[in-house]
Amino acid sequence: KTESTLTFYVNGRKVVDNNVDPEWTLLYYLRNKLRLCGTKLGCSEGGCGACTVMVSRYDRVKGKVIHLAINACLAPVASMHGLAVTTVEGIGSTKTHLHPVQKRIAEAHGSQCGFCTPGIVMSMYTLLRNLPKPKMKDMEIAFQGNLCRCTGYRPIIEGFRSFTEDWEQSQAMYNNHLNNGISNGNGCAKGDQCCKNKFNGVTANGGCTEDQAVLFSKTEYTPYDPSQEPIFPPELRMN
Ligand code: FES
Ligand code: FES
C-alpha cells in the first residue's frame, strides 16, 4: 500500500488500486474497470442523472452514516477514497431478487427504454436510506437531477409515491372510507370528508371500488424494510 493507493468499497466489496489515473471519473471506473455497467453514461456533464449512484460516508461529528446521491460522471474516482459506493447492481437484480424500489418502478410501468432507470432507482434508494418514510416533497426534490425522455414521469412518481408518508395516510383514509361507505350501500357516512373527493373512486351506487380509487394497491407490493439494507463497512468508520 502506498500513499497513492485508492481504497474504497463498491457494493460491499473492498477495492484497492495502486494504478489509478487521476483523470478517471467514478463512472469510468465502475463501467470499465469493475465492469459494473448498470450505471449509465448519458450526458457526461451532470445534467441527466443516468449515472446516479449512492455514496456513503461516516460523519464523525454527527456519529452517523450519511448517504448521498451523486453523479458518477462528475466525481473523480480518487475522491472516493475511504467511502462506500452503492450502484444499482448492489441493491438487487433479476438474477437474485429485485429491491422494492426496482420492483415498484417496474410494476408502475415507470421504465420504458430503461436508460434513466438505474439513476432514478438510485436517487429513490438514497432518499429511503436517509429517510425511510419520506414526504412527497422530499421525493420531488430527490428527483430534481434525474431526466427521463420516455415516461413523462407520471408512472415513476405513481410507483414511488407508495413509499411516502402521504400515501400511507391516503391509504388509511381510503380504507376507512371503504369500511364506512360501502356498508351503507348508498354514499359515504363521512360526508364532506368522503375520499371520492380525493380519489375519484365512485361507483354508480355511490360506493368505492379499490380499482377505481387507487392506481396501485399496497397489497401488491413487497414491503420496504429499511432494517434489511446492507450495513456500512465497519472498517470505514475507523478511517
Ligand atoms: Fe448525465 Fe452523469 S451522465 S449526469
Ligand atoms: Fe427511457 Fe426514462 S425510460 S429515458
Side-chain angles (χ1 to χ4, degrees):
K1 211 166 163 181
T2 68
E3 270 186 10
S4 58
T5 303
L6 169 70
T7 306
F8 69 125
Y9 278 75
V10 177
N11 298 335
R13 210 186 90 200
K14 190 171 179 178
V15 178
V16 180
D17 196 332
N18 293 315
N19 291 305
V20 174
D21 185 329
E23 292 197 352
W24 286 342
T25 63
L26 173 60
L27 182 63
Y28 176 87
Y29 197 87
L30 291 173
R31 291 181 61 88
N32 298 288
K33 296 280 280 185
L34 302 182
R35 307 306 294 169
L36 292 170
C37 298
T39 309
K40 302 296 182 229
L41 170 61
C43 63
S44 198
E45 56 184 30
C48 72
C51 63
T52 305
V53 297
M54 182 176 86
V55 171
S56 310
R57 71 177 171 86
Y58 184 64
D59 186 321
R60 276 178 208 81
V61 178
K62 293 187 180 140
K64 64 176 192 169
V65 178
I66 309 285
H67 305 288
L68 300 165
I70 68 147
N71 291 326
C73 70
L74 295 182
V77 68
S79 69
M80 294 298 116
H81 186 72
L83 307 181
V85 176
T86 305
T87 69
V88 72
E89 291 93 342
I91 70 166
S93 83
T94 47
K95 288 191 191 128
T96 52
H97 70 284
L98 291 177
H99 188 277
V101 173
Q102 295 168 309
K103 229 169 161 107
R104 292 188 201 186
I105 194 173
E107 287 171 0
H109 307 290
S111 183
Q112 288 182 31
C113 78
F115 199 79
C116 70
T117 310
I120 287 184
V121 162
M122 292 314 293
S123 288
M124 187 67 210
Y125 179 79
T126 308
L127 174 63
L128 289 174
R129 290 299 300 266
N130 285 322
L131 207 58
K133 199 58 79 182
K135 291 187 181 305
M136 277 298 283
K137 226 170 115 212
D138 302 315
M139 212 174 82
E140 281 161 16
I141 293 169
F143 289 129
Q144 279 177 349
N146 292 94
L147 301 182
C148 174
R149 305 304 297 186
C150 302
T151 70
Y153 303 103
R154 170 87 199 276
I156 298 170
I157 300 295
E158 280 302 315
F160 288 165
R161 198 165 69 94
S162 60
F163 288 109
T164 64
E165 192 181 300
D166 316 53
W167 192 79
E168 289 286 344
Q169 283 166 0
S170 69
Q171 284 272 302
M173 199 189 300
Y174 173 68
N175 287 335
N176 208 358
H177 170 72
L178 277 184
N179 295 338
N180 292 318
I182 282 186
S183 58
N184 69 18
N186 200 15
C188 178
K190 301 208 122 210
D192 288 346
Q193 295 302 309
C194 175
C195 65
K196 76 182 180 185
N197 298 323
K198 292 183 185 294
F199 294 110
N200 196 25
V202 185
T203 61
N205 71 359
C208 292
T209 66
E210 193 157 332
D211 283 355
Q212 287 170 298
V214 287
L215 222 46
F216 304 103
S217 160
K218 192 174 179 174
T219 54
E220 291 167 19
Y221 287 149
T222 314
Y224 173 60
D225 182 356
S227 69
Q228 296 305 304
E229 298 299 351
I231 60 160
F232 184 72
E235 182 191 348
L236 298 182
R237 287 178 188 259
M238 320 290 179
N239 291 334

